[in-house]
Amino acid sequence: MNFSLLFSHVLLKGKSLLLIFLPFTFGLPALRRTVLWRSIMGLSGRLSGHRNSVQGSDSHNYTSWLKQYPSGLESFESIMKELPRKKIVVFLDYDGTLSPIVDDPDRAFMSPEMREAVREVAKCFPTAIISGRSREKVKEFVKLRNLHYAGSHGLDIMAPNSDNEANGVSYQPAKKFLPEIQQIKRALEEESRKIEGALVEDNTFCVSVHFRHVHERDLGKLEKKVETVMENYPDFHVTQGKKVMEIRPTINWNKGHAMEYYLHTLGHNDTDDVVPLYIGDDQTDEDAFKVIQRKGQGIAILVASIPKHTNASYSLKDPSEVLAFLLRLARWSNSTSPSITTPSPNI
């Protein structure tokens, strides 16, 4: 059976019907299944790069795109106008949001100014960082104690304890997959040695294969090697980020679930006076944007310098604009009544 034709036909009938045929893809290799779904949804199925700035004709397209996803900085007053009596909970991605995307993932450092801005925001609001990195690695990058951390795209959460302290108990919904994840990591490390520039990163509950330094002529070869390894692990899937392939367990858990888990654990879930504010730049952040969109309450901000489809309502161009937004958010909080916010524990 030609699944591509079948799915394309069903897509014309309505995207919701695609869910009916989801089980038919489970027999496909993880990477091939990912490429198929990206193709169906109109996304590129091949490894590709992402430009980091607006260039040439993109400038006009970006300006038009901003009409649909206005700048969070320019819209700040209108965003906050409806929130004086709401409790804000802040969620932040790391790479591409708090730090720039860099060639060496081990050197994705945030600036001292950004660290101070996040510190100030966390004094005003409960604040969590939800990153694709391992929880311990992103914690080492951020170096702040007065916020909460979730790594591996929300699969490794350090949840507040009963006293609302950030260093509480951990929640790891994919813990049973750890042995297989280590097997996958070792297999990918062995295969990637044959591709110059490829780098495998262990993020505890997911494995990242970076190809920023891989020559274009070797991208297809690297993709094939990853596909070959993943054929032995049907319980995992592959997604593509910015110059990286991410291997994760196929379970019903993502950054959106992690955000909801934090809201629930902090005692703010299903409360009309609580507003989640989420800032992120990656495809995995879209899961959190969808939750905010579905609930009809919250502020979803995409960090992007080129037009792209998103479930966010607002945008910021780059980490420098994120910095300006966070500083403004902290100033706004300090200028309002202290009784309208619920500060994170400063431990």
Side-chain angles (χ1 to χ4, degrees), residues 197-235:
L199 174 65
V200 176
E201 183 180 14
D202 182 359
N203 286 315
T204 307
F205 289 92
C206 68
V207 180
S208 302
V209 181
H210 298 273
F211 54 89
R212 183 171 297 275
H213 295 292
V214 175
H215 195 282
E216 188 174 353
R217 66 171 179 267
D218 293 326
L219 289 178
K221 190 185 301 182
L222 176 62
E223 190 171 16
K224 180 62 178 176
K225 288 185 178 297
V226 173
E227 178 179 347
T228 299
V229 170
M230 296 313 300
E231 285 176 349
N232 298 317
Y233 298 93
D235 293 330

Side-chain angles (χ1 to χ4, degrees), residues 1-9 36 39-40:
M1 179 180 293
N2 188 324
F3 286 111
S4 296
L5 290 178
L6 174 61
F7 284 126
S8 298
H9 176 71
L36 172 60
S39 175
I40 291 171

Side-chain angles (χ1 to χ4, degrees), residues 254-266:
N254 53 46
K255 286 187 175 183
H257 293 103
M259 180 182 70
E260 290 185 295
Y261 180 85
Y262 268 125
L263 289 172
H264 175 76
T265 307
L266 290 166

